[in-house]
Amino acid sequence: SFSGKKNENQKLSDEERLCNSIEGKGTTFIKLGQFLATRPDIISEKISIQLEKLQDRLPPFPTSEAKQILKEDLGENLYKSIINFSEPVAAASIAQVHKAKINDNGTVKDIAIKILRPNIKKTFNDEIDALMLLAFFVENIIVKTKRLRLVEVVFLLKEITNHEMDLRLEAAAANEYSENTKNDLGFNVPNIYWNYTNESVLTLDWVDGISIRENDHLQKNNIDTKKLAEDIIQHFLRHAIRDGFFHADMHQGNLLINNEGQIAVSYTHLTLPTKA
């Protein structure tokens, strides 16, 4: 009930209420909150720690819209070659993921298809431009805020997020990463399917596996978690030092242990929001 939610909200700290408010305002504010979480010197350590908990997820958009985007972006022939297209299996503020199959030179393969939210670029850029104007006014009216460089912060967020919203750039980086690491034993990067990839659609191998955050599950499958941690560090250092090119978001949600026991990188391991 409404009163129940109100009472529950009153039990939260000011920082927790701030997080809930930001999540409710959608993509732009979630991204801004996550960005500010990296700047405790500006917003304080206490607020920064709380903003780190921001969940980059929103309810999925309808599968019918996802299919329409695929049809328009890939063309009728490629769209028809996709089989067993699933309901959303994961959703975030910018994109969502579906599982499907394609026939790749006579071999049927499981794939993940990441699709940008409809109109997300216009929505984000309209909102960020409004924030930019607000930051400009604040900086010019309240002199003390100039040291915070609010306009610069918002502009940098705009650049970073627009980069994220061109899935061709993500695909190109993933392809280079795959080439660099193809001979690294115990490490697997999913293959990109370029015919099924463009600015709004990213298609790659589906990765079945256990997230490294599921410690109990890993132990039940006789996986030595201490050795796993050492291997992850070794791989990261190898990529950074040997290649000068590494996965910049190598957190628990993006690393799986696949069915072959390899560390597998996931670019689509998002989370569906839990139902209230």
Side-chain angles (χ1 to χ4, degrees), residues 10-26:
Q10 287 174 341
K11 295 176 184 176
L12 302 176
S13 68
D14 290 341
E15 291 80 13
E16 287 170 328
R17 283 201 290 270
L18 174 62
C19 269
N20 288 345
S21 177
I22 288 172
E23 284 183 3
K25 293 186 183 303

Side-chain angles (χ1 to χ4, degrees), residues 14-239:
D14 290 341
E15 291 80 13
E16 287 170 328
R17 283 201 290 270
L18 174 62
C19 269
N20 288 345
S21 177
I22 288 172
E23 284 183 3
K25 293 186 183 303
T27 301
T28 306
F29 288 87
I30 289 171
K31 291 295 180 189
L32 179 60
Q34 291 173 330
F35 187 72
L36 289 174
T38 67
R39 295 302 306 271
D41 56 315
I42 293 176
I43 62 172
S44 84
E45 189 76 32
K46 193 175 180 182
I47 296 176
S48 174
I49 290 169
Q50 204 60 46
L51 289 182
E52 285 176 358
K53 299 173 185 175
L54 276 172
Q55 298 296 303
D56 185 11
R57 61 195 189 190
L58 290 172
F61 58 89
T63 300
S64 58
E65 287 188 45
K67 288 180 176 179
Q68 189 60 37
I69 291 169
L70 287 180
K71 193 179 293 185
E72 290 173 1
D73 285 18
L74 301 181
E76 191 76 28
N77 289 337
L78 280 178
Y79 170 73
K80 286 182 177 178
S81 70
I82 298 170
I83 47 182
N84 293 352
F85 187 78
S86 76
E87 293 295 314
V89 295
S93 58
I94 286 177
Q96 70 185 33
V97 177
H98 298 258
K99 186 177 182 181
K101 295 179 186 290
I102 55 169
N103 188 324
D104 183 42
N105 295 321
T107 304
V108 176
K109 293 187 176 179
D110 289 325
I111 55 166
I113 305 179
K114 183 174 179 178
I115 305 172
L116 289 185
R117 288 182 174 274
N119 302 315
I120 188 63
K121 291 181 184 178
K122 183 180 186 309
T123 300
F124 172 79
N125 283 296
D126 286 350
E127 291 178 354
I128 208 75
D129 286 345
L131 280 175
M132 190 100 67
L133 184 60
L134 176 62
F136 175 79
F137 283 135
V138 170
E139 273 194 7
N140 283 275
I141 294 170
I142 307 171
V143 178
K144 288 183 179 179
T145 63
K146 282 189 180 293
R147 69 174 185 83
L148 302 178
R149 298 181 179 177
L150 297 176
V151 172
E152 189 178 320
V153 167
V154 176
F155 182 77
L156 186 55
L157 174 65
K158 180 176 182 175
E159 279 197 322
I160 291 170
T161 306
N162 273 302
H163 190 278
E164 285 181 30
M165 290 190 289
D166 186 341
L167 297 183
R168 295 170 301 185
L169 300 177
E170 185 174 342
N175 196 67
E176 183 173 348
Y177 193 41
S178 177
E179 280 297 308
N180 290 345
T181 61
K182 63 184 178 184
N183 295 320
D184 292 355
L185 293 176
F187 195 83
N188 178 264
V189 177
N191 180 52
I192 303 292
Y193 295 94
W194 286 101
N195 287 347
Y196 296 85
T197 294
N198 60 27
E199 188 175 353
S200 302
V201 178
L202 170 62
T203 303
L204 63 163
D205 285 326
W206 177 267
V207 179
D208 274 320
I210 307 167
S211 168
I212 65 166
R213 66 159 60 97
E214 298 178 60
N215 195 47
D216 291 343
H217 200 169
L218 292 170
Q219 291 178 351
K220 283 179 184 176
N221 283 269
N222 299 316
I223 293 168
D224 184 342
T225 52
K226 185 178 179 181
K227 183 178 183 303
L228 174 60
E230 291 173 354
D231 288 346
I232 290 170
I233 292 169
Q234 288 295 324
H235 282 299
F236 176 80
L237 292 174
R238 187 178 297 114
H239 304 156

